[in-house]
Amino acid sequence: MTDTPPGSGPPTAPPAAPVQRHTLTVVADRFDIATWQDTRAQSTALRDLAAELRARHEGAPDLLTDVFLAAYQARPRLRDPATLDPTRLVNHHVLTSLMEPPEFTELRRTTAGDPYAAAMSVLALAPALRRVLEGADEAQSRADDAGRAQWEADRAAAELAEALRQADDGPEDDDGPEDDDRPGEADSHALRQAAEAARTAARQAMNTATQALAAAAPGLRAVSHAAAARAATAARREADLMRAWGVGPGQAERMPFAERMRLAERLASSHLARWADLIGRFRQMARGERARKVEHTSGELIGVTLGNDLSRIVPSELAHLGLPELRAVFAARYAAGELMLYDSRGDQTSGRGAIIACVDTSHSMYEAGPGGVTREAWAKGCALALLDQARHARRDFVGILFSAADKLQVFRFPADEPARVERVLEFAETFLGGGTDYQRPLGAAADLLQQEFDDASRSRGDIVLITDDDCDVTETWMRQWRETKRRLGFRVFGAAVGVPPAAAGGSVLDVLCDNLRSIEDLTDVHAAADLFRVI
């Protein structure tokens, strides 16, 4: 709100303040305003944008506030233009055009209630706001004229009201002091004429401004519609990236502004960013496969069968035990093996030790398959889904990246510690290059499982070896490997990515793995679905 004419210095002590008019187009309470102020204080980019646009349009900071509020509020409402300071009419037109297309409604699904996301939408809309203000120069100039004229009209009306009030407050008789400075009839008449002239000038200026805005409206609308679509796409992409990397909405909203911005920039610049959809589909598939598991039952649920295994009994059968008259029937059916049981495909019992993903990062893993998906992208997506699997089962997870015998990097994610996003990113982004060697990564995995057994008496871990190559191992190493595997009771799952011959019967990979699958279509995350049912 303003009490001085736009574009001019303070007036000389007016006898009464002009009418106060709103300078924000979006209706907001003090909490919403405080949220914007706090968000802007944390963002150098927002402050710089406000300073830049203010050089072109004095009301630009209010325009940025309006855009933020429109994105942040669940149901933003615009003020009646008649209640606004005329200098903010361009802002009103911009907000009306911006909020009109369905793309802006789509944008709010991502930004509503999230100050960071709303602020990012303001920055995403910055190029469009620059263009809008450039295209509305003439309309803004006319609006500024209307603002000054309206200020003068309000001021003249206030002076007239004050004069009339003083006249009404005078004594009933005329015997006052000779220096009585109360306005006389002539003065009041002059003030009336001045007020009427000011109102006429304000109406004319407002009509001129309205015409200028009408002329600029098509351009404002076209730019605003396109900008809303781009901002919605950008917000949706960032949200998808966060979800793909395991950052939920609640976790993201709790992050400090600067930390979240750095994370978003890192996610967007990651060389795996283009595979965010693949990573997200891997994690979604893994969740679905976990849901298909039956507690205390091994393997994949495929139907109902008959038997007497009480660990797989259908709940409705247990209900018979609650009725005394049916207990004898239950006992007879149990003895005959005719109880209804969950039927599952015969997978082994799930492990309880650590889940260890050994991921090949040799040069050949850069090769792309169908759909342009690289072998590395598939392997890292599968490994990240295995990390989720371990977190869900409260098991330790270890990611071992390997290539040649002298290249190995280990990333540990203990079950009792949070999996920091930065560490997950480091694991996913690391690529060693070079050749392929099995002995060192598998030996490191076995050592970790031995350490876990010694420290916590946990056995039956799971190792998943993801590679695109086959290589030899020595007989001595193989004997030691088999003895360690027998002693610790771990299982080895394999995925031959993009090169089916590596999974051929009798290959080293086939001999090493208890369960081996060949992955030819790298766009198909379900090729590894069984891993998440049995691990």
Side-chain angles (χ1 to χ4, degrees), residues 482-494:
R482 285 174 172 164
E483 171 57 25
T484 303
K485 186 171 181 290
R486 182 196 63 77
R487 186 175 68 255
L488 297 178
F490 60 78
R491 300 175 299 176
V492 182
F493 300 85

Side-chain angles (χ1 to χ4, degrees), residues 38-208:
D38 181 60
T39 304
R40 184 182 58 187
Q42 297 180 64
S43 172
T44 302
L46 286 176
R47 296 195 301 274
D48 290 346
L49 178 61
E52 173 200 340
L53 296 183
R54 186 165 194 167
R56 179 176 292 115
H57 169 34
E58 186 179 351
D62 289 332
L63 177 59
L64 296 186
T65 306
D66 282 327
V67 174
F68 173 86
L69 294 172
Y72 176 69
Q73 294 179 347
R75 295 180 178 83
R77 294 183 297 113
L78 300 187
R79 298 186 191 278
D80 185 335
T83 68
L84 289 175
D85 186 309
T87 61
R88 301 303 190 261
L89 289 177
V90 169
N91 292 6
H92 191 281
H93 273 64
V94 172
L95 264 294
T96 301
S97 300
L98 187 64
M99 295 171 60
E100 185 178 75
E103 289 82 2
F104 197 81
T105 302
E106 179 67 25
L107 172 67
R108 281 208 306 276
R109 291 195 179 98
T110 304
T111 61
D114 186 344
Y116 170 85
M120 290 301 100
S121 71
V122 174
L123 295 176
L125 290 166
L129 295 177
R130 293 187 185 97
R131 289 180 58 195
V132 163
L133 294 180
E134 288 172 0
D137 276 346
E138 177 63 23
Q140 186 59 55
S141 178
R142 301 287 75 78
D144 288 342
D145 292 342
R148 284 188 288 271
Q150 185 62 61
W151 189 91
E152 291 295 343
D154 291 343
R155 183 172 182 272
E159 289 181 354
L160 175 59
E162 177 64 16
L164 294 175
R165 185 189 65 77
Q166 290 182 16
D168 289 342
D169 289 347
E172 296 183 359
D173 57 10
D174 295 333
D175 296 332
E178 293 182 0
D179 59 348
D180 187 358
D181 57 359
R182 286 182 286 108
E185 185 176 342
D187 294 330
S188 297
H189 181 70
L191 288 173
R192 285 192 181 90
Q193 287 184 323
E196 183 58 36
R199 282 195 295 270
T200 300
R203 282 195 297 270
Q204 292 174 346
M206 188 66 75
N207 288 338
T208 302

